[in-house]
Amino acid sequence: GVKALHIKAANISGHEVLLNDTTIRESTKTLSDLVADIESLQTVSRTPVTGYYHMDFAGNRYSGIVPTQNAREFRMKLEFSAANAAFPIIHEEVIGTPDM
């Protein structure tokens, strides 16, 4: 499953993530940063890496991982505030089942 995505592009203002043609997350950057703090179950804010746009689906919870076992399609629609030619994406992935 997908735990988080980190996109090296500082000019993203929002996103929509679709799994099998269904929107599973849609947000602006400001709201996305706030939700990441809440979902990480922290009393202090996370410090995002400068120059990256972060989508943390799981926070610190295994239950938040987006399952991709039978996924036919996984898409991101990114909103940019300025042109951006190319950008790398760091994909945090979890393989297997929890040891619970």
Side-chain angles (χ1 to χ4, degrees):
V2 178
K3 182 186 180 308
L5 298 167
H6 310 281
I7 304 161
K8 189 171 184 178
N11 55 354
I12 297 174
S13 58
H15 70 273
E16 179 181 6
V17 178
L18 296 99
L19 179 65
N20 296 334
D21 293 322
T22 301
T23 299
I24 59 170
R25 175 89 39 120
E26 184 175 16
S27 184
T28 63
K29 178 176 180 3
T30 304
L31 184 58
S32 182
D33 290 345
L34 176 63
V35 169
D37 286 344
I38 292 168
E39 289 181 342
S40 66
L41 304 175
Q42 294 190 12
T43 56
V44 296
S45 296
R46 287 189 168 189
T47 306
V49 176
T50 303
Y52 280 82
Y53 185 86
H54 303 279
M55 284 185 250
D56 190 351
F57 299 105
N60 293 334
R61 301 166 296 112
Y62 186 89
S63 62
I65 294 169
V66 177
T68 56
Q69 183 175 359
N70 295 313
R72 296 180 322 277
E73 173 188 49
F74 186 90
R75 271 191 300 156
M76 292 184 303
K77 294 181 179 180
L78 304 174
E79 296 175 23
F80 288 86
S81 58
N84 203 81
F87 47 87
I89 298 174
I90 299 171
H91 172 256
E92 289 186 52
E93 176 182 32
V94 176
I95 298 172
T97 56
D99 294 332
M100 295 184 211

